[in-house]
């Protein structure tokens, strides 16, 4: 079968560009060991839908590192700081103790201090917080928790239960990353404030990779943007201050969004209060952006390898669990996905249609490396075993896993009819065939394919069309509730409040604002004024922004995914993420000058501030200026990270992504559900 080009043709849909074949056999000399220790070749068959996967594999991958790219700072220091502080806090409760850890702190804690480290500092037994009576027999209990009322109430119940039985122990609560007044107030109300000691573990930042740092606060999005709870803003400001203290001083800060502006002001207050010390800066510029500035991007299907792995297998705290369908055994295996995995590092940012070709070539290269053993004398064999064999085995193991993951993802997406799904998404982004898209969404809902997927398509339709027509809104809402249950009424209310799924108002257009402004002026009552302002604030303006920033490339142009020309490759050439485009434009213009119309459509709150100098060394100043720290408040996707890496390679920059949490369409929408914990 001849090789198929990974290229977009104008008369085809912009999607994975799957080609339907009755059978496509991809030959991977993926190495497996037989019982006698010999390496044999394995043929992999992928049947049914097969993507344009037989790309040219002789050349290098499209994404190569520029030689003049600046070096990234070493963020392992953040881990050491967090570990040392935790050990200090544990030692404040001398003697043997049991440690209760909140569930969503377990994975981050494992990246900072493993069980052995904890045992070395008098931690006897580890328990997961499960909101039920405890079975610990220790006389000292330590609780490592998030500052949540539910968890503090459970601790109060534990202490009061001990009191009722006449048992007296020492209790210590360590809040991470900080404690709130409401938690301490509850301790006082429950009558145990004097029985427990409280402290803070300032664990603000967890480095997930060389260029990704997470606050691991997935609740930030719902709390801040839906509930209006701004308690985490100070946390974001403190995280920024920590980075400024260790890797700064920053020279320029840009940002857009209400939350970003508050986080910047919190950071500035902490800088002014703290001690100013001259040091060599490692990070020059900072860009803060709210998630609700761009809600379209996280709702799009991810088609770069790392994003697709996250959508299907759920990457948690930089780690993914591959099941038996990937490992080809009866066991699951947890794998760290970062730049230390050489195979993953080369394919993580690639469009999925490129991945199989690369893995095939990698397998051939690995086979060649193994074949070098034939003809070796004893001395050469000894050198091979001591220097190369271990690395080859590790690479072989990782290669087998990623081949298995790719095959599993293809099979799952085939069942979902991924081609038709992407065709609908791209039509929505381009504004074509909207009626056909609505029919597809209706069919998706009525077939009860996936509640979250149906909700995602509804929100994408609303955002790209600046709201749904009243009759479409009522019809789609009724069908959704009939298919997935009436209990989602509150979910619709949440989506409307956030501006994800709204109904167009009579007379509303994409470009005319006068009717809304007139309503603001004429309505006298406070309630009407608030409603009108809220509706104005949640306006999408996606089409106007798309034209102004050229977010949707012209559909009559070919797009070669083997050699991407812009960030649109992360969505098969259909759409450049708004968040990344804003960052590109602001950095090019050194501010928001010339983007006034764009910021108006995004409801403002933009800022550009010169914070200080980066020192006298001209080269140091240049290098630090080329390292950009981008902070997403509300979460960012792996696709956006891939786009920023691409932009960095094109511009000779390095981007460091700091995010409140890694998100995707499923996580974002699940946080909107009524039963969200």
């Amino acid at each position: 079968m001849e090789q198929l080009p990974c290229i977009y043709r104008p008369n085809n849909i912009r999607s994975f560009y799957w080609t339907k074949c009755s059978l496509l056999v991809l030959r991977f000399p993926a190495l497996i060991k037989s019982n006698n220790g010999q390496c044999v070749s394995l043929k992999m068959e992928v049947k049914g839908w097969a993507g344009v996967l037989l790309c040219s594999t002789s050349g290098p991958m499209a994404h190569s590192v520029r030689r003049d790219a600046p070096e990234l700072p070493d963020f392992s220091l953040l881990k050491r700081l967090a570990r040392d502080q935790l050990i200090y806090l544990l030692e404040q409760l001398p003697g043997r103790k049991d440690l209760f850890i909140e569930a969503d702190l377990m994975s981050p804690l494992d990246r900072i201090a493993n069980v052995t480290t904890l045992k070395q500092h008098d931690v006897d037994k580890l328990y997961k917080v499960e909101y039920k009576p405890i079975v610990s027999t220790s006389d000292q209990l330590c609780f490592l928790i998030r500052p949540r009322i539910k968890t503090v109430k459970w601790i109060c119940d534990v202490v009061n239960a001990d009191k009722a039985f006449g048992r007296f122990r020492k209790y210590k609560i360590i809040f991470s990353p900080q404690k709130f007044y409401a938690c301490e107030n509850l301790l006082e109300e429950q009558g145990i404030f004097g029985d427990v000691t409280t402290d803070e573990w300032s664990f603000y930042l967890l480095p997930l990779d060389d260029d990704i740092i997470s606050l691991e606060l997935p609740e930030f999005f719902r709390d801040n943007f839906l509930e209006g709870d701004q308690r985490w803003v100070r946390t974001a400001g403190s995280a920024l201050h920590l980075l400024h203290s260790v890797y700064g001083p920053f020279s320029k800060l840009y940002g857009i969004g209400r939350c970003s502006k508050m986080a910047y002001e919190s950071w500035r207050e902490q800088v002014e209060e703290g001690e100013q010390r001259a040091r060599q800066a490692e990070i020059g510029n900072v860009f803060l952006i709210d998630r609700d500035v761009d809600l379209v991007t996280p709702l799009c299907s991810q088609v770069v390898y790392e994003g697709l792995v996250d959508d299907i297998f759920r990457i948690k705290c930089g780690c993914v669990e591959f099941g038996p369908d990937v490992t080809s055994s009866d066991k699951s295996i947890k794998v760290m996905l970062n730049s230390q995995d050489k195979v993953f590092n080369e394919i993580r940012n690639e469009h999925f249609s490129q991945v199989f070709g690369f893995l095939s070539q990698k397998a051939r290269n690995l086979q060649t490396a193994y074949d070098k053993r034939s003809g070796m004398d004893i001395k050469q064999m000894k050198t091979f075993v001591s220097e190369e064999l271990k690395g080859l085995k590790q690479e072989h193991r990782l290669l087998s896993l990623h081949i298995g993951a790719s095959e599993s993802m293809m099979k799952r997406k085939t069942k979902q009819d991924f081609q038709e799904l992407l065709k609908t998404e791209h039509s929505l982004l381009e504004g074509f065939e909207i009626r056909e898209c609505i029919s597809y969404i209706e069919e998706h809902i009525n077939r009860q394919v996936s509640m979250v997927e149906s909700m995602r398509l509804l929100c994408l339709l609303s955002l790209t069309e600046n709201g749904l027509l009243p009759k479409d809104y009522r019809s789609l809402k009724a069908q959704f509730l009939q298919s997935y249950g009436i209990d989602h009424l509150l979910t619709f209310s949440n989506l409307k409040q956030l501006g994800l799924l709204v109904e167009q108002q009579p007379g509303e257009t994409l470009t005319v604002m006068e009717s809304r402004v007139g309503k603001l002026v004429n309505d006298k009552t406070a309630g009407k004024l608030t409603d009108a302002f809220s509706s104005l604030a949640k306006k999408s303006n996606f089409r106007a922004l798309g034209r102004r920033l050229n977010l949707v490339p012209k559909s009559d142009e070919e797009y070669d995914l083997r050699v991407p020309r812009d960030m649109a490759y992360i969505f098969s050439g259909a759409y450049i993420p708004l968040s990344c485009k804003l960052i590109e434009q602001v950095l090019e213009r050194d501010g928001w000058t010339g983007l006034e119309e764009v910021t108006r459509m995004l409801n403002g709150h933009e800022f550009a501030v010169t914070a200080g100098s980066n020192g006298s060394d001209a080269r140091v100043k240049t290098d630090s200026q080329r390292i950009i720290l981008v902070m997403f408040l509300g979460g960012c996707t792996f696709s956006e990270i891939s786009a920023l890496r691409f932009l960095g390679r094109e511009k000779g920059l390095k981007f460091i992504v700091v995010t409140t949490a890694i998100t995707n369409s499923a996580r974002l929408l699940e946080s909107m559900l009524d039963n969200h914990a």
Side-chain angles (χ1 to χ4, degrees):
M1 181 177 177
E2 69 176 49
Q3 293 188 350
L4 305 171
C6 288
I7 197 165
Y8 161 63
R9 300 292 182 188
N11 57 340
N12 293 338
I13 64 164
R14 281 190 185 154
S15 63
F16 253 145
Y17 315 121
W18 301 106
T19 302
K20 191 167 187 179
C21 311
S22 57
L23 172 65
L24 177 65
V25 180
L26 298 178
R27 283 175 167 77
F28 291 95
L31 302 167
I32 57 173
K33 264 194 173 176
S34 59
N35 293 331
N36 60 8
Q38 298 297 314
C39 291
V40 297
S41 178
L42 170 68
K43 291 182 180 178
M44 269 183 63
E45 292 190 357
V46 183
K47 299 183 179 181
W49 287 95
V52 184
L53 302 172
L54 294 179
C55 317
S56 174
T57 58
S58 56
M61 297 291 273
H63 299 152
S64 57
V65 179
R66 286 174 55 141
R67 292 182 180 178
D68 63 341
E71 290 293 320
L72 287 169
D74 178 14
F75 292 116
S76 63
L77 176 60
L78 297 174
K79 289 185 179 181
R80 294 200 297 273
L81 288 171
R83 182 173 62 250
D84 291 347
Q85 189 193 10
L86 177 62
I87 290 170
Y88 172 78
L89 293 173
L90 290 173
E91 289 176 347
Q92 297 303 298
L93 192 64
R96 307 296 294 175
K97 52 192 157 290
D98 286 353
L99 180 62
F100 290 80
I101 308 169
E102 196 154 9
D104 57 356
L105 273 172
M106 296 188 84
S107 293
L109 177 62
D110 193 47
R111 299 285 298 267
I112 298 297
N114 56 27
V115 174
T116 304
T117 303
L118 296 174
K119 295 279 187 183
Q120 289 171 352
H121 294 87
D122 294 330
V123 173
D124 189 16
K125 295 179 181 177
L126 296 171
Y127 296 93
K128 177 181 173 183
V129 171
E130 293 182 320
Y131 305 105
K132 61 184 183 182
I134 63 172
V135 294
S136 170
T137 57
S138 175
D139 290 331
Q140 298 194 113
L141 304 182
C142 187
F143 302 90
L144 182 58
I145 64 170
R146 293 290 193 202
R148 295 178 181 137
I149 295 296
K150 178 183 178 183
T151 313
V152 176
K153 179 65 171 66
W154 170 74
I155 294 173
C156 292
D157 293 341
V158 169
V159 176
N160 285 324
D162 282 350
K163 281 184 178 182
F165 283 103
R167 176 160 194 176
F168 296 96
R169 320 191 217 206
K170 287 185 178 179
Y171 309 94
K172 184 180 182 68
I173 304 175
I174 301 175
F175 292 100
S176 178
Q178 64 191 81
K179 58 184 174 184
F180 295 131
Y181 169 76
C183 296
E184 292 188 317
N185 190 50
L186 180 60
L187 293 174
E188 191 171 354
E189 288 177 358
Q190 295 290 317
I192 68 162
F193 188 77
D195 300 313
V196 301
T197 56
T198 62
D199 227 319
E200 288 182 339
W201 181 30
S202 304
F203 180 29
Y204 295 114
L205 298 164
L206 173 65
L208 298 179
D209 208 343
D210 295 341
D211 59 351
I212 307 175
I213 305 173
S214 174
L215 277 72
E216 290 300 305
L217 292 174
E219 63 262 52
F220 188 104
F221 180 77
R222 180 184 173 102
D223 286 354
N224 190 82
F225 297 109
L226 180 65
E227 308 287 355
D229 185 346
Q230 298 168 3
R231 59 182 171 155
W232 298 117
V233 172
R234 176 78 179 180
T235 307
S238 298
L240 197 59
H241 182 245
L242 175 60
L243 290 167
H244 175 268
S245 302
V246 179
Y247 303 103
F250 306 141
S251 58
K252 290 185 179 178
L253 291 94
Y254 313 95
I256 184 166
R258 184 165 174 264
C259 185
S260 291
K261 198 160 190 175
M262 289 191 293
Y264 158 72
E265 288 169 354
S266 172
W267 165 80
R268 188 183 62 188
E269 288 174 5
Q270 293 178 64
V271 170
E272 291 171 353
E273 292 170 2
E275 181 184 350
Q276 301 295 319
R277 289 181 296 174
R279 69 173 68 83
Q280 181 176 304
E282 296 182 71
I283 299 173
N285 300 322
V286 176
F287 194 106
L288 287 79
I289 183 168
D290 284 12
R291 180 70 276 169
D292 69 346
V293 167
D294 175 18
L295 291 169
V296 171
T297 299
L299 292 177
C300 294
S301 294
Q302 301 191 82
V303 288
V304 292
Y305 182 76
E306 189 170 15
L308 204 52
V309 170
D310 186 43
D311 275 354
I312 294 176
F313 298 105
R314 291 286 182 108
I315 300 174
K316 183 179 180 182
C317 210
C319 184
V320 67
E321 184 171 354
F322 288 133
D325 58 328
V326 172
T327 60
S328 299
S329 67
D330 57 350
K331 295 181 180 179
S332 296
I333 183 171
K334 287 188 176 182
V335 181
M336 292 296 298
L337 294 181
N338 54 36
S339 56
Q340 301 304 309
D341 181 339
K342 294 180 179 179
V343 176
F344 174 72
N345 195 44
E346 292 191 66
I347 61 176
R348 66 191 308 177
N349 303 310
E350 296 296 324
H351 190 281
F352 190 66
S353 64
Q354 303 288 83
V355 170
F356 266 118
F358 169 79
L359 293 176
S360 176
Q361 183 62 41
K362 195 77 175 174
R364 293 190 193 101
N365 295 342
L366 198 58
Q367 181 74 63
T368 302
Y370 270 108
D371 290 344
K372 287 195 308 183
R373 294 174 304 171
S374 58
M376 286 184 178
D377 57 29
I378 294 178
K379 185 178 180 180
Q380 290 171 327
M381 182 64 76
K382 184 179 179 181
T383 303
F384 174 81
V385 170
S386 62
E387 296 180 4
E388 296 182 46
L389 186 59
K390 185 178 179 181
L392 289 174
K393 285 182 176 180
Q394 173 71 357
E395 194 171 347
H396 161 217
R397 184 183 73 85
L398 294 171
L399 184 62
S400 299
L401 282 173
H402 290 297
I403 289 174
S406 299
E407 183 187 20
S408 176
M409 288 190 291
M410 271 190 63
K411 288 178 179 178
R412 295 194 194 193
K413 290 303 181 183
T414 296
K415 291 179 181 178
Q416 294 178 6
D417 195 6
F418 204 43
Q419 179 189 29
E420 197 63 29
L421 181 66
L422 286 177
K423 178 182 177 182
T424 301
E425 280 186 36
H426 296 168
S427 295
L428 290 174
L429 292 167
E430 293 170 350
F432 297 143
E433 301 177 337
I434 299 303
R435 280 290 122 197
E436 287 80 355
C437 293
I438 291 175
S439 297
Y440 175 83
I441 296 171
E442 287 179 326
E443 182 185 355
H444 205 274
I445 292 171
N446 294 329
R447 286 168 54 203
Q448 298 181 325
V449 178
S450 161
M451 187 272 293
V452 172
E453 278 291 289
S454 297
M455 191 184 298
R456 180 177 73 86
L457 291 171
L458 284 174
C459 292
L460 200 57
L461 172 64
S462 175
L463 288 168
T464 54
E465 289 299 300
N466 197 41
L468 303 181
L469 293 172
K471 65 174 184 177
D472 291 332
Y473 181 84
R474 289 192 295 269
S475 172
L476 289 166
K477 181 179 178 180
Q479 292 178 67
F480 188 96
L481 295 174
Q482 287 168 1
S483 286
Y484 302 111
I486 198 70
D487 52 328
H488 287 295
L489 266 173
L490 186 55
T491 303
F492 272 82
S493 175
N494 293 340
L495 295 173
K496 183 178 181 180
Q497 185 176 333
L498 198 59
L500 279 167
L501 183 55
V502 298
E503 184 179 355
Q504 283 184 10
Q505 300 302 313
E508 191 165 49
T509 65
L510 287 173
T511 57
V512 179
M513 301 288 288
E514 287 78 9
S515 62
R516 182 65 63 206
V517 174
K519 186 175 181 182
L520 277 170
V521 173
N522 294 329
D523 285 345
K524 301 297 183 183
T525 64
K528 290 184 178 180
L529 183 64
T530 303
D531 291 343
F533 185 80
S534 176
S535 182
L536 173 62
K538 298 302 182 184
K539 191 162 182 172
S540 170
N541 293 312
F542 177 78
R543 293 275 173 256
L545 285 167
R547 290 192 296 270
R548 180 69 178 80
L549 296 173
N550 194 27
L551 299 179
V552 181
K554 294 179 181 178
S555 58
D556 58 349
E557 296 177 359
E558 292 184 347
Y559 200 100
D560 190 344
L561 292 168
R562 292 170 301 185
V563 188
R565 62 171 181 261
D566 55 31
M567 292 182 285
Y569 90 93
I570 67 166
F571 294 122
S572 308
Y575 165 63
I576 299 173
L578 171 59
S579 54
C580 301
K581 189 69 174 180
L582 283 173
I583 294 166
E584 178 189 28
Q585 290 290 307
V586 170
L587 293 177
E588 282 182 1
R589 299 164 188 265
D590 194 19
W592 296 95
T593 306
L595 295 172
E596 291 81 6
E597 184 184 350
V598 170
T599 58
R600 180 181 62 80
M601 288 187 283
L602 293 171
N603 303 310
H605 298 292
E606 76 281 0
F607 59 90
V609 181
T610 301
S613 173
N614 262 350
S616 56
D617 189 326
R619 174 163 179 78
V620 169
K621 187 171 183 178
T622 302
D623 282 350
S624 65
Q625 289 295 321
R626 290 160 59 207
I627 295 180
I628 317 296
L629 188 148
V630 179
M631 190 173 199
F632 286 86
L633 297 169
C636 82
T637 65
F638 282 116
S639 292
E640 288 170 306
I641 295 172
S642 293
L644 289 175
R645 287 176 180 146
F646 176 87
L647 180 62
R649 286 187 293 267
E650 292 292 297
K651 305 290 185 181
L653 306 171
K654 278 288 180 71
F655 285 95
I656 300 162
V657 175
V658 179
T659 176
T660 50
I662 296 294
T663 192
N664 57 24
S665 58
R667 291 190 190 99
L668 187 146
L669 292 173
E670 284 166 5
S671 71
M672 295 293 102
L673 298 180
D674 180 25
N675 61 356
H676 179 77

